[in-house]
Amino acid sequence: MRHARRSLQRITRFAAVGGLLCGGLLVTTAAATEPPARGQEQTEPDVPGPEQTDRPSGLGAGLVARLGPSRTAGTWIGADGRSVVAVTDEDAAVEVGRSGARAKVVEHSMSRLRSAVDALSAAPRVPGTAWSVDYASNRIVVQADTTVSSDDWSRMSRLAERIGGFVHMERAPGALSPRLNGADPVFSRTGRCSAGFNVTDGRRAFILTAGHCGPPGTDWFQDPQGTKGVGTTTAGRFPGSDFSLVAYGNADATAADNVVRLAGRQGVLITAAADPVVGQEVFRSGGTTGVRSGKVTALNATVNYPEGTVTGLIQTTACAEPGDSGGPLFAGGMALGVTSGGIGDCSSGGTTYFQPVTTAMEALGVRLAGTAGSGDGAGAASPPFTAGVGALPGRPDVPARRTGIVGVHTVKPGLAVMGVSLVVLVANGLIRSASDRRNYRRQYSQIWS
């Protein structure tokens, strides 16, 4: 009987120790996965932060630059994450392989593909059409929306045949249009758009947004009634390109950090600007459809909007709708573009085009605010917008940094397991101590007698 009790006590002790270990593991796991507290940076489940996204390497671009446009036809990121380079001869393929990238031998060089694009651009303009180079299929893809007449479609099809069989024509449902109307929206007298990224010339703060949102002199407000001013468009370009600057009404304000708002007070800190790579996963945000993801499918795309032609755009599968114009395109903390326009919607899918931020900032003579070399003064007042997407006045800023604070609610299960285990251990110890004392007295009482 005594042996059975001792076996039961040992089993209880082992179970309690196991409970302590399991409880500790639960607490550690909860701490590791706990989202930042309200008011701290948080990415949505499908929106990676800077440390979660591999920035595309320059391997493919470097190989294309070294081999030249007559021996290559673009580069992209493959499904396995490796750089792929399209080449036109086996020697180039060997060189690409030695460099660590994967080669794909194709028929048409970039020089020939560019000549085809030039021929399309030189033809009479047809609103509702767009074209880009599809690197992976080694062809030019021409889209025509439902507004393109059968006569124009026939004329463009004949032109495509004359250029060569690598020009692919396809009809697209819907109509190509700027995605006018935004992220946390800003309103003009005639419509609304989205704030893109905060930029600065070293002296003043601006919003970088889409050029089609409004020409220089357009006043912007926080509300549709036009009672709370934001600023005025001071420079821009559309068509041709699609970017503009909105100067904050407080001319003395210095720009703060760029934080792309995701949901509530969650955001992603934007730390630099970059050019995307075909195949890269990207994210965009806007007032109508929120945060959406997709992949870059082409660079240097041309779009013939009804208002005019825009060239040099980023083409993606990230959907957008009217009201998303000017909103930011980003990936892993890198600013990539501002929403220009597209076709389709977020119910059925579509294609969206973006103005590259690097091209826009170079043309405008500005740089991202809150980054090294921006010239921001310490302790300076923040402008009305402090986030890349709509941190409007009266709404709390989003401190874009991660901290070690852990919410108690997430570690409760682990703490409960540990607490029960400790109680069992203490009770088991007390029972054992009482049993030992009884045995001690029993043993020595026999000796004393």
Side-chain angles (χ1 to χ4, degrees):
M1 187 69 175
R2 187 182 304 167
H3 178 72
R5 284 199 303 269
R6 288 180 177 176
S7 297
L8 180 59
Q9 289 171 359
R10 280 196 293 269
I11 293 172
T12 303
R13 285 198 302 273
F14 288 142
V17 171
L20 283 173
L21 293 174
C22 291
L25 181 61
L26 286 172
V27 171
T28 303
T29 303
T33 58
E34 164 72 358
R38 186 171 178 84
Q40 299 165 8
E41 183 198 22
Q42 166 75 20
T43 58
E44 291 187 341
D46 62 341
V47 183
E51 73 286 352
Q52 296 172 294
T53 302
D54 294 330
R55 294 176 183 174
S57 69
L59 177 60
L63 288 167
V64 167
R66 186 163 77 243
L67 294 171
S70 63
R71 301 182 68 196
T72 62
T75 180
W76 64 95
I77 299 174
D80 58 358
R82 290 180 61 191
S83 293
V84 183
V85 180
V87 296
T88 56
D89 61 79
E90 292 296 338
D91 290 341
V94 171
E95 186 170 347
V96 168
R98 287 173 179 167
S99 299
R102 190 168 71 250
K104 179 179 180 180
V105 180
V106 298
E107 181 180 358
H108 310 292
S109 69
M110 182 57 71
S111 295
R112 188 175 184 187
L113 295 173
R114 287 175 179 169
S115 295
V117 169
D118 291 341
L120 289 168
S121 300
R125 177 177 173 274
V126 178
T129 59
W131 52 78
S132 61
V133 178
D134 186 337
Y135 296 157
S137 65
N138 193 227
R139 63 184 184 177
I140 307 294
V141 177
V142 180
Q143 280 191 329
D145 67 17
T146 54
T147 67
V148 176
S149 67
S150 56
D151 288 342
D152 284 336
W153 171 262
S154 298
R155 180 165 55 83
M156 292 196 70
S157 297
R158 290 193 296 270
L159 174 60
E161 291 176 2
R162 289 197 299 272
I163 295 173
F166 57 92
V167 180
H168 174 71
M169 297 283 294
E170 62 181 36
R171 280 280 193 178
L176 276 168
S177 65
R179 307 281 84 171
L180 183 62
N181 252 338
D184 262 347
V186 285
F187 299 87
S188 69
R189 301 296 185 188
T190 57
R192 66 172 187 167
C193 256
S194 306
F197 298 100
N198 280 330
V199 295
T200 179
D201 61 3
R203 297 176 294 105
R204 293 184 300 167
F206 305 89
I207 302 168
L208 177 64
T209 188
H212 68 262
C213 290
T218 301
D219 293 323
W220 294 96
F221 305 88
Q222 300 173 42
D223 57 322
Q225 295 74 31
T227 61
K228 300 177 181 179
V230 172
T232 303
T233 302
T234 58
R237 188 177 300 168
F238 179 80
S241 297
D242 195 0
F243 55 77
S244 65
L245 283 180
V246 176
Y248 285 108
N250 181 0
D252 296 329
T254 320
D257 287 343
N258 274 288
V259 178
V260 172
R261 188 177 299 284
L262 302 180
R265 296 180 64 187
Q266 302 172 355
V268 170
L269 176 65
I270 301 300
T271 58
D275 292 318
V277 177
V278 172
Q280 179 182 0
E281 184 178 17
V282 292
F283 301 84
R284 55 142 292 273
S285 183
T288 301
T289 57
V291 178
R292 301 285 174 160
S293 64
K295 287 191 175 182
V296 177
T297 53
L299 304 175
N300 298 313
T302 297
V303 179
N304 293 296
Y305 294 124
E307 298 85 353
T309 299
V310 180
T311 61
L313 297 177
I314 303 164
Q315 178 179 298
T316 77
T317 59
C319 68
E321 297 181 4
D324 291 330
S325 274
L329 178 72
F330 60 98
M334 307 294 285
L336 302 176
V338 292
T339 306
S340 174
I343 190 170
D345 54 42
C346 290
S347 297
S348 59
T351 300
T352 306
Y353 299 90
F354 299 84
Q355 166 68 53
V357 294
T358 53
T359 304
M361 291 193 298
E362 182 179 1
L364 294 166
V366 295
R367 52 186 173 270
L368 283 177
T371 57
S374 63
D376 300 341
S382 295
F385 283 125
T386 57
V389 180
L392 291 167
R395 301 181 68 173
D397 295 348
V398 184
R401 60 180 181 274
R402 299 185 182 273
T403 73
I405 298 175
V406 179
V408 174
H409 65 283
T410 63
V411 297
K412 279 182 178 179
L415 291 175
V417 172
M418 293 176 69
V420 171
S421 300
L422 283 173
V423 170
V424 171
L425 274 178
V426 171
N428 188 68
L430 291 174
I431 292 171
R432 183 179 179 184
S433 297
S435 177
D436 289 344
R437 285 195 298 271
R438 285 195 301 270
N439 292 337
Y440 180 83
R441 286 195 299 269
R442 185 181 304 113
Q443 179 182 354
Y444 279 93
S445 64
Q446 293 173 354
I447 296 174
W448 293 336
S449 61

